[in-house]
Amino acid sequence: MTTTPANEKGYWNRATQQIHMEQLKRVELFNGRAAMLGIVIGIITEGLTGSGIAHQIGLGALVDGYAACRTQFLPFCF
């Protein structure tokens, strides 16, 4: 059975860490681009339909003061 020397083991740890960081950077870049695209689509849809992003995703009752106070989602009423 062969064993890896300590310096070679450290090399593989650094190489693995570097690969992991490169993958993490790509994933974070993709997530950021997807979030920006989602916001742009929401704003365009808001401009076309007149309903805000909160209404588009079904949270309009939280924004409309009356419904929010009646269902007690907010600690204050308008």
Side-chain angles (χ1 to χ4, degrees):
M1 179 158 48
T2 61
T3 60
T4 55
N7 60 353
E8 191 175 321
K9 191 176 196 180
Y11 170 76
W12 284 110
N13 286 339
R14 284 191 303 263
T16 304
Q17 185 179 12
Q18 185 178 4
I19 291 170
H20 176 71
M21 291 304 292
E22 289 173 4
Q23 290 174 344
L24 185 64
K25 286 179 185 178
R26 281 197 309 260
V27 168
E28 288 296 326
L29 185 64
F30 177 79
N31 285 341
R33 289 177 178 170
M36 289 186 281
L37 183 63
I39 292 294
V40 169
I41 289 172
I43 290 171
I44 290 172
T45 306
E46 181 177 352
L48 294 174
T49 63
S51 64
I53 293 176
H55 285 86
Q56 293 172 24
I57 61 173
L59 297 176
L62 292 174
V63 179
D64 301 336
Y66 179 71
C69 289
R70 286 204 60 201
T71 56
Q72 298 177 359
F73 286 135
L74 298 175
F76 55 86
C77 293
F78 304 135

